[in-house]
Amino acid sequence: MRHILSILIENEAGALSRVVGLFSARAYNIDSLTVSTTEDPTLSRMTIVTHGSDEVIEQITKQLNKLIEVVKVIDLNESEHVEREMMLIKVRAAGKDREEMKRMTDIFRGRIIDVTEKTYTVELTGTSDKLNAFIDALDRTVILETVRTGASGIGRGERILKV
Amino acid sequence: MQISGAEIVVRCLQEEGVEFVFGYPGGAVLEIYDAIFQQDSFRHVLVRHEQAAVHAADGYSRSSNKVGVALVTSGPGATNAVTGIATAYSDSIPMVVISGQVGTPAIGLDAFQEVDMVGITRPCVKHNFLVKDVNDLAATMKKAFYIASTGRPGPVVVDIPKDVTIAKTDFQYPDSVNIRSYVPINKGHPGQIKKAVNLLGEAKRPFVYVGGGAVLANASEEVRELVRLINAPCTNTLMGLGAYPGTDPQFVGMLGMHGTYEANMAMQYCDVLVAIGARFDDRVISVPSHFLAQPKKIIHIDIDPSSIAKRVKVDIPIVGNVKDVLVEMIAQLKAGDVRPDAEALGNWWTQVEAWRAPQSLWFDQPEDIIKPQFVVQKLWEVTGGDAIVTSDVGQHQMFAAQYYKFDRPKQWINSGGLGTMGFGLPAAMGAQLANPDATVACITGEASIQMNIQELSTCKQYHVPVKIVNLNNRYLGMVRQWQEFFYGNRYSESYMDALPDFVKLAEAYGHVGMRIERPADVEPALREAMKLKERLVFLDFLTDQKANVFPMVGNGKGLNQMDLPPHMRDLQLGVPPYDRDYGNLS
Ligand SMILES: Cc1cc2nc3c(=O)[nH]c(=O)nc-3n(C[C@H](O)[C@H](O)[C@H](O)COP(=O)(O)OP(=O)(O)OC[C@H]3O[C@@H](n4cnc5c(N)ncnc54)[C@H](O)[C@@H]3O)c2cc1C
Ligand SMILES: Cc1ncc(C[n+]2csc(CCOP(=O)(O)OP(=O)(O)O)c2C)c(N)n1
Ligand SMILES: [Mg+2]
């Protein structure tokens, strides 16, 4: 099953490679990984999307916690959470495609952030499923380039992940 | 007063009460060596290969309660140390390895003798540091010792660039460490312990399985008390040997791939298992599904949550230090007076004794050829069971584990997790330096000993009177055994040809060598060697070339499906009625 893990980790050189090394050394899957510093510059927050059986996810969580620099790990799947990912997608927007692209962007509540005579660059935010749906809705031949951030997640309501 | 990074390293080691540093110099650590030259609070032991420095620090640690320390230069010095670090990591041994690094401006430029030590060792250390600023050095050293020795112990590498050893700053060693992201849990959850105690009260066939964690926790007294209190049979893993006394009647021997018949059968057929600082390794329980096919409830005590439910799901996990948890468990047991049912326990013991009766470790010692088991047995007798024994890896290691009855923890020192040939001699060196008055024997094979034979020279320099017991079968015996059992006797590259004359070799290094070819000479040779208290003696025993280690749980087999020694093969070895709820397993 797909799980979203949120990790608070010391913002130190090499900390990220320990996490990534752990996943490859133990043959765990990384579907996506995002990381950046938090409001506290000594801490980074990482979101890892992974999949595996309950046993594997339990081991992943324990192994992450075992890393000296990891402060906290939570499995967002254990309770209500929201998840967002951003995609920048450059599409062909010439002739009859131009109007159609604009329409699709509106339907998906995206924004056109760069325009040339022949292309649009669209910014789209949502769950990973929504981004997939957008890609699926387009004719593959109009897609010139995509870049996605991978999912970030946060618990709903009062639930917080802090030191 | 400001002092250099190199002097800070030395001062930190002094603050930590380090007695010995095992190391080898080179360009990147010349400053540190210069600082070592100018101090006299610890001794530096110059090994002949960096791998041996780490194994020696490891043996030193395993035979004492201290953190081992090794010091190596950058590049090849650092990479040579890696096998030693991985060995310590696999067995959770507390150690600090200091490696030199090229100067910070040169890092990343493919400089001379540059390797990314932090990167190379990342998967085989508990933690590692690259110190880029001399102002962080003392605090980092403090953290290194703290991390290495607390929680689940392990090796920590501190990689120090040369310019950091030259730079100067004020020295202040922190009194304490606080790492917000690292807080080991020692006390077990009282509720979980209560559940465990209640479960023990319901047990009809209790069994106690003790591993290296009990040795690391110095919890032998508590283990003993628990086992006596509930009157259960007890086994030790290869890493746990000595945690429960080997000569005690409640001890049923080591379990696992080369465990005794009674230990493996009890492990398979118990109904309540107490796992204490043991990690259900594949060499212990073989295939998990097979092990669990016989229903049993499991209590698992381990300080590392990731050791719990890794290979086997357990019923009552207790995260904590073995000692703290057992103290609480024993107190609750005593207060509540919960004990296993006496009659059921009596029946269980009758069964265990029936499994023990055929003596799965029995062997025949003919007049003409030395059995390796016989040498170990005699070593045990001659040393009064009191020696510190190290080993290398192979059949001789298993014979040592099976036939030397360890009554104390930290008496048996071997590479279990990584299985590193070449570990025995340097580890013995470290153990002897930690225990100058003890008899230290290194049980080895003619192949393993050659992987770090150069340390005979170190032993000479530092007067380390280790007794080397070479079980010389002219084979990579363990490999040969597998080839005999599973590869149709095709002995591919497992014969040790062109062996040196070990007697002359020992003499060339300035030691005493003896060659023993007849069974009748085994005991006298051992006695003579033990009399040479001040000397390293290399005893080269020519042993049976085709001896095999029994029992053996083959690959993919269950614990109750051992290959048994010849004398047990025709016996009718039944399993009582609880076999029935066991179903059909193949
Ligand atoms: C040729 C060969 C054959 C082998 N055959 C066998 C065999 O037949 N039988 C056998 O048993 N092994 C055998 N081994 C060894 C095997 O590979 C493992 O190394 C060994 O079984 C592991 O022992 P352990 O479970 O006690 O764990 P260890 O590796 O000693 O691990 C200790 C456990 O205790 C925990 N711990 C550490 N400190 C504490 C503390 N203070 N409090 C609580 N918990 C703590 C750790 O987290 C860890 O989970 C063999 C090895 C070789 C090389
Ligand atoms: C460094 C290393 N290389 C290879 C092995 C694989 N291996 C395990 S036991 C063994 C044979 C050891 O031979 P010897 O030391 O003579 O011991 P014996 O089994 O004959 O008692 C080998 C090659 C290992 N454990 N370690
Ligand atoms: Mg051999």
Side-chain angles (χ1 to χ4, degrees), chain B residues 261-284:
Chain B
Y261 182 67
E262 55 271 32
N264 284 342
M265 294 300 274
M267 186 73 170
Q268 184 68 16
Y269 291 104
C270 63
D271 70 344
V272 173
L273 178 69
V274 192
I276 304 177
R279 56 188 174 84
F280 294 91
D281 187 77
D282 48 304
R283 291 234 154 171
V284 172

Side-chain angles (χ1 to χ4, degrees), chain A residues 10 17-18 40 42-43 55 58-59 62-63 66 68-71 163, chain B residues 89 122 126-128 147 152 180-182 304-306 308-310 313:
Chain A
E10 297 291 349
S17 59
R18 284 183 215 280
D40 172 353
T42 66
L43 283 174
E55 290 76 32
E58 181 182 336
Q59 264 298 311
K62 287 173 167 178
Q63 293 291 349
K66 200 168 145 179
I68 304 291
E69 286 149 338
V70 167
V71 186
V163 181
Chain B
Y89 181 68
R122 192 179 297 122
K126 182 168 175 189
H127 197 58
N128 57 21
I147 291 171
R152 179 179 183 168
R180 64 178 168 184
S181 57
Y182 174 70
D304 177 359
S306 77
I308 298 179
K310 179 160 65 183
K313 257 201 150 58

